[in-house]
Amino acid sequence: MKSDNVKKGMQQAPSRSLFHALGFTKEEMEKPLVGIVSSYNEIVPGHMNIDKIVNAVKQGVSEAGGVPVVFPAIAVCDGIAMGHIGMKYSLVSRDLICDSTEAMAIAHQFDALVCVPNCDKNVPGLLMAAARLNIPTVFVSGGPMLAGHVGGRKRSLSSMFEAVGSYAAGTMTEEDVDEYVNKVCPTCGSCSGMYTANSMNCLTEAIGMGLRGNGTIPAVYSDRLILAKHAGMAVMDMLEKNIRPRDIMTKEAFVNALTVDMALGCSTNTMLHLPAIANEAGIELDMEMANAISDKTPNLCHLAPAGPAYIEELNEAGGIYAVMNELSKKGLLNLSCMTVTGKTVGENIKNVHNLNPEIIRPVDDPYMPNGGIAVLKGNLAPDTGIVKRSAVAPEMLKHSGPARVFDCEEDAIAAIEGGKIKAGDVVVIRYEGPKGGPGMREMLNPTSAIMGMGLGSTVALITDGRFSGASRGAAIGHVSPEAAVGGPIALVHEGDIIDIDINNNALNLRVSDEELAARRKEWKPRTPSVTTGYLARYAAMVTSGNKGAILKIPEND
């Protein structure tokens, strides 16, 4: 056992004395040491119940013959961090989570891990750590929130942000907004739509690192506790069989995850996280493959914000395995991939059926013949731009309009809520990329303001930042190269015509190559907005959004 390095032999007698201080018995010292990575805290609604999940995991590990040991991981609530400097710390927390888990696991020589994440960067950060450490690991999340109810309709956090825009437009009163405040987030759990947290928890199943129901069983259901116990048991089975994360997270498994991503219509943030996780597994995942996968993968689900259904309904319809079973009917998945169950994907989904064809469309009757996410390219985005196609109004799939240019999110929000953005405009928010932000802030406030102002079917938004999974509309993010490194988005002038053609994966600035070259000669890099602390170190090391915003040690000049 790996943990023998800290438990066995005369040289480790000092370590044994410290285990004695922890209250370990001699019998426990003979058993595998299983780290339980707990993301519990009292500031993130998706994490406030994780202490109960962790206790259930501990029971499962103990029953299966292991010794569970809990240690923490941080988590940022994107909803609370949204719209101010705190959002600069959201994406960057992913690497802190990964690095700190690596430190704890190796320093204490755990034999295996059970990771208990839930929210946006917590899930990919721990998946990155699992791939890096490559010891038997199972994931079980805290689970999704139940949908809220306002005026007889199901609602969620995206409705809350859009209500603020409606208030600015004068179509909602302060009392109306207060009703949303008190009703849209009724329980603990990750916010109830197919936002980033739930997207990543669902894709954890698709990639094979979580048990069935990991992404969909609501946080408040007792089935979530049962799942957690089974996760504890499963990791002990993996340890016995020596099944490791890199046996599961293969290139084929990531293609499966991208395929399920397209069928579900997940958050565009998956286009950042999947390549970052793959990188830790030693796999290069080129996001340009997403369009090829999208072209042959039907979109089977329209979950909030793309449609009126919520994660609880996806769970009742059969969950991710039911979606995967539908996809398998067209031969769209690699069924031989190994999973944490000790069985293959094909074995896992064999007898799981679609119980509600309105929530999970049959593969022969999809919402759209192609996937929910599109990668755009053109002279405005030579590398990539990402859009959640399934959440775009049909009339905005092709759009041309004048650029309204802003060098930060706050200025754009002021213009939108001040009535300065008109139908037909293309809002450009730049210098918000991984380096330029730094931290690649989410733009849920401006997209929600556009929707709340009634401009969702006439105004597009383009940024080198990114979007919350709760965003909807013609919102194109991850534009690469970003403005901070001189990407073409830095060269856009007020009033330039921008052509968007999502069906043909194109994003272009109607400006000649000669004019762009002249503008480039005049462009000067901006002084970094942050020069100290973690954000400064992050900005120095982070790569482009189209590479997953992974960190690399800067090369010497």
Side-chain angles (χ1 to χ4, degrees), residues 213-479:
N214 177 70
T216 60
I217 297 172
V220 295
Y221 283 14
S222 297
D223 278 347
R224 175 65 52 181
L225 298 176
I226 295 170
L227 180 72
K229 292 176 184 178
H230 285 153
M233 297 174 189
V235 81
M236 295 304 297
D237 185 58
M238 288 180 70
L239 183 59
E240 182 180 348
K241 295 175 179 175
N242 196 30
I243 299 172
R244 299 168 182 260
R246 292 193 187 188
D247 300 325
I248 296 168
M249 290 193 276
T250 62
K251 182 69 172 284
E252 294 75 18
F254 282 104
V255 172
N256 278 352
L258 277 168
T259 302
V260 175
D261 191 338
M262 296 300 170
L264 290 173
C266 289
S267 163
T268 52
N269 281 315
T270 61
M271 298 292 106
L272 280 173
H273 300 321
L274 289 176
I277 299 161
N279 176 69
E280 295 293 348
I283 298 166
E284 184 175 351
L285 201 63
D286 186 347
M287 281 299 95
E288 290 190 40
M289 73 166 62
N291 283 339
I293 293 171
S294 178
D295 286 345
K296 62 182 181 181
T297 305
N299 178 232
L300 305 182
C301 300
H302 264 193
L303 299 154
Y310 291 83
I311 301 296
E312 62 202 67
E313 293 160 295
L314 177 60
N315 185 64
E316 292 162 7
I320 303 309
Y321 278 19
V323 174
M324 295 175 75
N325 186 279
E326 286 289 345
L327 293 171
S328 71
K329 295 174 184 177
K330 291 287 187 180
L332 295 173
L333 296 176
N334 186 315
L335 301 181
S336 65
C337 291
M338 179 53 61
T339 73
V340 294
T341 66
K343 299 178 181 178
T344 65
V345 168
E347 290 172 311
N348 286 342
I349 68 173
K350 184 177 180 180
N351 296 313
V352 180
H353 302 291
N354 182 358
L355 303 178
N356 188 338
E358 292 303 313
I359 302 300
I360 304 171
R361 285 285 185 88
V363 73
D364 290 321
D365 183 28
Y367 281 103
M368 299 189 305
N370 46 21
I373 292 177
V375 179
L376 311 185
K377 295 189 76 172
N379 70 348
L380 186 53
D383 292 337
T384 54
I386 306 292
V387 65
K388 188 170 183 174
R389 174 168 42 200
S390 59
V392 178
E395 57 269 34
M396 289 298 291
L397 291 170
K398 187 170 185 178
H399 176 78
S400 296
R404 304 298 309 280
V405 183
F406 304 93
D407 286 350
C408 68
E409 176 190 9
E410 289 82 359
D411 290 350
I413 293 171
I416 296 165
E417 294 184 347
K420 296 179 180 178
I421 302 302
K422 307 299 182 185
D425 287 347
V426 179
V427 175
V428 176
I429 305 177
R430 60 193 181 189
Y431 295 103
E432 292 283 9
K435 284 186 178 292
M440 205 177 185
R441 287 195 289 180
E442 286 183 344
M443 302 290 159
L444 179 56
N445 277 337
T447 56
S448 297
I450 286 170
M451 287 293 172
M453 296 288 286
L455 298 170
S457 61
T458 59
V459 169
L461 195 157
I462 297 171
T463 181
D464 53 7
R466 60 195 178 93
F467 295 108
S468 164
S471 290
R472 62 190 178 104
I476 301 165
H478 308 198
V479 170

Side-chain angles (χ1 to χ4, degrees), residues 15 20 32 35 58 75 131 189 193 211 253 269 271 290 292 329-330 357 386 401 424 466 492 495 499 510 518 529 557:
S15 297
H20 178 82
K58 290 173 67 177
L211 300 177
N269 281 315
M271 298 292 106
K329 295 174 184 177
K330 291 287 187 180
I386 306 292
R466 60 195 178 93
V492 180
D499 296 318
R510 206 182 295 175
S529 59
D557 294 332

